[in-house]
Amino acid sequence: MLAFALRRLVQAAVVMLVVGLIAFALFRFVGDPVVFMLGQDATPEDRARMSADLGLDRPFHVQYGAFLSRAVQGDFGLSLKQLRPVSTLFAERLPATLELAIAAALFALAAGIPMGVYSALKPRSWLSQVFLAVSLAGVSLPTFLIGILLILVFAVQLGWLPSFGRGETVMLGAWSTGLLTVSGLKALVLPAITLGLFQMTLIMRLTRAEMQEVLRADFIRFARARGLPDRSVHFRHALRNALLPVITVAGLQLGAIIAFAIITETVFQWPGMGLLFIQSVMFADVPVMAAYLCLIALVFVTINLVVDLLYHAIDPRLRADARAAH
């Protein structure tokens, strides 16, 4: 187990180095931040002085090495747009993104699993057909269109929920949250549904497929032959086995929710890290963009590492294969 964990840690470190290198290299061609900061009328001397102050006149490998050494310590340098530490900007925006991602994930799980179970147990009912139609719409429609439609119905026409912003927030130490205010909770509803709808359809379809497969298994036939009631067969035996891959996919999708919150945060002007990234792209703020992609890569790598370790710890077949390989 220890050797397996060490191999996965080394692989994760290599992935992070490659992602950091690619991100930093690609964003060198996004644009010249000195032009954005000084304007088109700046003299060559002013541009050269600003480039030297920002360290942009140094060779690429020197800039990347400095970025990497600081990133290991949690220091991503200064934002070229706001001239503030990138880590400070992330700390200010991270609570909003995490609250939105967690709310979207909870919505996806709370709605997707029951819908998948029901559509598997009663595939011919009209409600199952409605669930399948909703899942098809959730997969087919782009996120920004779903957000705009929700704003049109619930914010513009009905006036029930706000169309943008995070609402009123309160501070819990260094953490800002809108979960303790009425306006904050209202502001969270539409973005969370928009962001979680695709994940909900994915979880619903996966739960439905897994339940249908498990219900055809031999141990389910044996349980029915023993005379166990349908409720026990469906929820105690079938659902418990069907949820194993669902939970795994749901865990991996949490990283996807955080990564793909960019569109949702832009539509609803949600003050999170995704909106910060979009604003940084428009300004060619290389330190913020590179740090954001490295952070997202770290989230994915960490989740995959945890899933791999849990699988290796839970599934005895993987441990047996590892021993056989040695």
Side-chain angles (χ1 to χ4, degrees), residues 307-325:
V307 170
D308 286 343
L309 294 178
L310 288 177
Y311 258 77
H312 194 271
I314 293 173
D315 196 335
R317 294 172 297 181
L318 295 179
R319 297 195 297 271
D321 292 342
R323 287 193 296 266

Side-chain angles (χ1 to χ4, degrees), residues 93-101 103 163-167 169 178-179 183-192 261-276 279:
R93 301 294 189 105
L94 185 60
T97 296
L98 285 182
E99 286 185 1
L100 176 59
S163 60
F164 67 93
R166 197 182 174 195
T169 60
L179 300 179
S183 63
L185 290 174
K186 287 184 176 180
L188 183 62
V189 173
L190 293 184
I262 295 176
I263 298 176
T264 302
E265 291 185 2
T266 303
V267 171
F268 290 93
Q269 288 299 291
W270 187 265
M273 295 177 58
L275 184 60
L276 176 65
Q279 295 169 347

